[in-house]
Amino acid sequence: MAVLRWVWSIIKGALNTLARGVVIVVLLVAVLAVIGASSGTSLPGAMVLNLDLREPVEDKVASDVFGLSGSRLSLIDMVLGLDAAARDARVKGVFLRLGSGDLSIPVAEELRDGLKRFQAAGKFVIVHSQSFYSGGLGDFGVAASADEIWMQPASAFFASGTATTTLFFRGLFDKIDAVPQFVQRYEYKNAANVFTETGFTPAHLEATGRLLQSWYDTATAEIAADLGMETAALTDILDRSPLVVGEAMEYGLVTNIGYDDDARDAALARGGEGAEIAEFADYAADHRLSGLNGDGPVVAFVHAAGEIVEGSSNDPLGSGGVVIAGDDFSEAIREATEDEDVRAILLRVDSPGGSAIASDQILDALKKAQAAGKPVIVSMGSVAASGGYYISLSADRIVANPGTITGSIGVLWGKLAAEGSLELVGVQSEELGVGENALFFSGLSPWTDEQLAKVDAQADAIYADFTGKVAEGRNLTIEEVQEIARGRVWTGADALGRGLVDQLGGFWTAVAGVKELASIDENAEIQFREYPHEQGFLDRVGSFFEASSAGVSVLRGLDALMASAPARALVSAAEGAPSGRAELRAVGLPLQ
């Protein structure tokens, strides 16, 4: 009995702590609601939206425990916010901050498309850059679409082309007795080359060089068109970079020289009497999907961004980042298929791939949706390659930006055996296993010749299945697929002529395709329903604590309160600046 009382005291203490936490959250939300009611959340009657693009822009951002993204705007948030602003008489224009070099070519193309739609509604865009620091053309590609391009005095213009740097670690692994073992289908599936090679292979060099050339060609053509000059004249100017700001203005690359407040004042003056600066993040948060949430036909919006993984994300605290979980997304697509109101599915893909098994699970759900009479239209973001292409291949229409990285129809499977590395630093290891291949996935010992043969056979089977499905989905012969597959990546511009995509364009081009294939009037307002459902505060609390239905009902009103402007401001202040990182992992399962 003493033990039971002791255990019960621990349980009661945990429950009391939990109860106090819930009470604190409820009180905090109540206070925020009072603050919001007293301070008001209305935007100015005439405004110029301030949008800072000097941080990396992601297609989709992970929400926090409250189901909010704070001040972090995704690319889709920006695209939808610009659409809402274009139809809002209060919004006169947009003031952009640019120049850090963080914008990739495909992101720049999506933003350029959104800004041009905004300008077509009679609005203006003014850009200010303290300096175009990077040699890349992404930032300047967006700036070139503006009505005015300002640069700070005594700054520099470095934009000049497209480039990449690849680090090869094979020499390091040889020095530390680590053994990289990878199989790839085929020579262009080069992600593991950084582990297995000391430099570019001919196929790796060919594919990478063509990718950079395609980006350069499309970017320079678009920039030249925006600036009203010939492409050859623009490339001649870019080849003279870096330029001082005076030279950039002389060559017609910028229109004004001044500081950020000078450009902001010019934007306000152009906005007219009474115009005020309003943060784009605040505006977009109040208008997310507003351009799509009409009273018209219903279309499912499935935003598949991140690595493709098996199972469920199962992250009630919202701390695991953005992933495409096979269970979550296939189930969401099945729900959309069963919803009689849903006329079509718009699948937004921004993924470098991942698990072959999860990719196939999602593809199966999409095929069943099509069989049930729901057209599937794919809008490709910055990258829809390998598994990202796999889940797209059966779509009724695939739309990609000219700079989208796509294709990579191939298989990669391998591991890094580190037993020798551990011995170099005095660490001894011994592995035991019952069964011939019990240690197949060991990260210490390398595969035997017999095991490598099994790995090769698995890779062959998956590649044959992948290419067969591409041939069926894209209405190509298997011979045609073999020519464009072999693990090679293509830009959207190069993929178009090879039958891998159907149309070049951004998000709104895909939306037009939805209307066409679902027989929806081109001027109709669409009601988009997001799948999977974005978890809010209530969903996360219920998932984490497995609360009773009665307890959930008590918390039901918190979602709306946590979406209020004061709550968003508090979360934004607490979360700090987002960090970005690139990661390449060796895994023990086949990747597409």
Side-chain angles (χ1 to χ4, degrees), residues 4-61:
L4 291 176
R5 285 195 297 271
W6 175 69
V7 172
W8 177 239
S9 68
I10 293 176
I11 294 174
K12 285 199 298 182
L15 290 174
N16 287 334
T17 300
L18 173 59
R20 285 195 295 270
V22 171
V23 169
I24 290 172
V25 170
V26 172
L27 290 174
L28 174 61
V29 172
V31 170
L32 290 172
V34 171
I35 294 173
S38 63
S39 62
T41 60
S42 61
L43 292 163
M47 67 186 113
V48 175
L49 299 178
N50 179 65
L51 178 57
D52 196 328
L53 296 175
R54 292 175 295 177
E55 294 286 345
V57 176
E58 301 171 15
D59 208 77
K60 182 180 183 180
V61 297

Side-chain angles (χ1 to χ4, degrees), residues 78 91 94 176 181 207 363 448 473 525 559:
M78 296 176 190
V91 178
V94 168
I176 62 173
Q181 290 181 306
L363 176 63
T448 64
E525 290 188 354
D559 267 341

Side-chain angles (χ1 to χ4, degrees), residues 56 171 212-213 349 351 359 395 398:
L212 295 174
Q213 186 66 54
V349 180
S351 172
S359 298
I398 299 176

